[in-house]
Structure formats: C-alpha cells, structure tokens
Amino acid sequence: MALIFFSACQEDNSITTETSVEGQWELQGLRSNWIDDMISVDELNYSDSYTFRADGTFTKFNSVLGSELSGTFEEITPGTEANVNHVKQLRLTFNPDELENVLNAEDAGGWNQEHQFHVFYGHNETEELTLHPDGTLSNAGFAWRDGPIYIYKR
C-alpha cells in the first residue's frame, strides 16, 4: 500500500498534450495588466500565429508586419519561485537573416518595422511566451508591464 501511495505522489515531468506546445496557435485577442477584459481577435485589424514543431523549430506570422519569421525554441520549466499560473516559459530565437530582412523592409502600413518587432516579438532576436494551465499561450512583448498581452490558443 505504501508503494502505491509513494508512486502516486512522485512528480511527473513528462510532456503531455496539455503541456506540449506543438501545433498551430492562433491569436484570440489581447488584454492588459490593468484590466482583465479581453479585446477579441474579431475587433483587431490583424492576425498573428505560431506553429511549433517537435524538432524545436517554429514559424510565426504577423499580418501587420506582413512577414513570416522562423527560428528555434526551447522550453523552460519555471522554478519553484515562479508564478503558479505558468506551466512553462518558451524562449524563441529568430533566424537572424530573416529578422534582418524584416527590420530593413519598408514600413508596413505606416508602422515602423523595428518598433513593431519589439511590440509583437521581443528584443535581441528573441521572444518569450508563457504557457498557462488553462491551455493558453501569452506574449507580453517587450513592454510587458504597460503594453498589451497577446493571448493564443491551439
């Protein structure tokens, strides 16, 4: 009986369908740190998506930038001091050649490309996302305290 109890209490760090990020994630909407109400994707004038593959590569498309970027990602399991609402963190590293082409392209719809990269992606050729227990991914971009938080679902 003790053996059954002990094995049931052991920590299981395996990747499951609930914690795996593989597949396509579509933007559902955005919210801010100041309010919980979400602006749905239907009210926004753009689309945004990620596709994560088992080999550790990803593709991201953003209609404002009008481009698709790819790269590699790593899954980072939060430490014990991390927010309990985080299942894991993802660190995405963009292909530097593709990124340079996007940042040097003409402005998309009057938006400055480099500024928009920081809003939609991150900084220093990387982006960080958070997987939550409710099955959503969030991206707070570079300005995570005051800027919008983008919410994605599979």
Side-chain angles (χ1 to χ4, degrees), residues 110-150:
W111 295 32
N112 175 281
Q113 293 289 63
E114 189 166 356
H115 171 74
Q116 291 310 313
F117 174 80
H118 295 303
V119 170
F120 288 111
Y121 296 96
H123 65 288
N124 295 331
E125 298 179 4
T126 65
E127 176 181 13
E128 291 195 9
L129 303 171
T130 302
L131 178 63
H132 301 275
D134 67 359
T136 61
L137 270 177
S138 66
N139 171 3
F142 184 61
W144 62 271
R145 290 184 186 224
D146 295 326
I149 300 169
Y150 297 86

Side-chain angles (χ1 to χ4, degrees), residues 3 10-12 14 23 48 55 58 66 71 87 93 99 103-104 114-115 147-148 151 153:
L3 180 61
Q10 285 185 331
E11 190 173 322
D12 182 9
S14 61
D48 203 41
D55 66 358
F58 75 93
V87 173
T93 303
L99 182 57
L103 295 181
N104 290 330
E114 189 166 356
H115 171 74
I151 308 296
K153 284 190 176 180

Side-chain angles (χ1 to χ4, degrees), residues 19-153:
T19 62
S20 171
V21 295
E22 289 176 33
Q24 184 159 351
W25 296 78
E26 296 287 335
L27 180 66
Q28 300 300 300
L30 61 90
R31 65 177 188 77
S32 78
N33 279 325
W34 304 105
I35 58 171
D36 282 335
D37 292 338
M38 186 163 79
I39 299 170
S40 82
V41 71
D42 297 331
E43 298 175 59
L44 303 172
N45 61 352
Y46 63 90
S47 62
D48 203 41
S49 66
Y50 297 91
T51 302
F52 295 101
R53 296 175 206 68
D55 66 358
T57 62
F58 75 93
T59 305
K60 178 168 181 162
F61 177 78
N62 179 281
S63 67
V64 170
L65 294 176
S67 62
E68 185 174 275
L69 291 172
S70 63
T72 60
F73 72 95
E74 60 181 315
E75 297 181 357
I76 304 164
T77 302
T80 55
E81 73 285 348
N83 186 324
V84 295
N85 292 320
H86 299 175
V87 173
K88 68 175 63 173
Q89 299 289 125
L90 300 176
R91 182 170 297 126
L92 286 58
T93 303
F94 293 97
N95 176 314
D97 294 333
E98 290 177 9
L99 182 57
E100 184 176 347
N101 288 338
V102 167
L103 295 181
N104 290 330
E106 301 237 352
D107 288 352
W111 295 32
N112 175 281
Q113 293 289 63
E114 189 166 356
H115 171 74
Q116 291 310 313
F117 174 80
H118 295 303
V119 170
F120 288 111
Y121 296 96
H123 65 288
N124 295 331
E125 298 179 4
T126 65
E127 176 181 13
E128 291 195 9
L129 303 171
T130 302
L131 178 63
H132 301 275
D134 67 359
T136 61
L137 270 177
S138 66
N139 171 3
F142 184 61
W144 62 271
R145 290 184 186 224
D146 295 326
I149 300 169
Y150 297 86
I151 308 296
Y152 301 84
K153 284 190 176 180

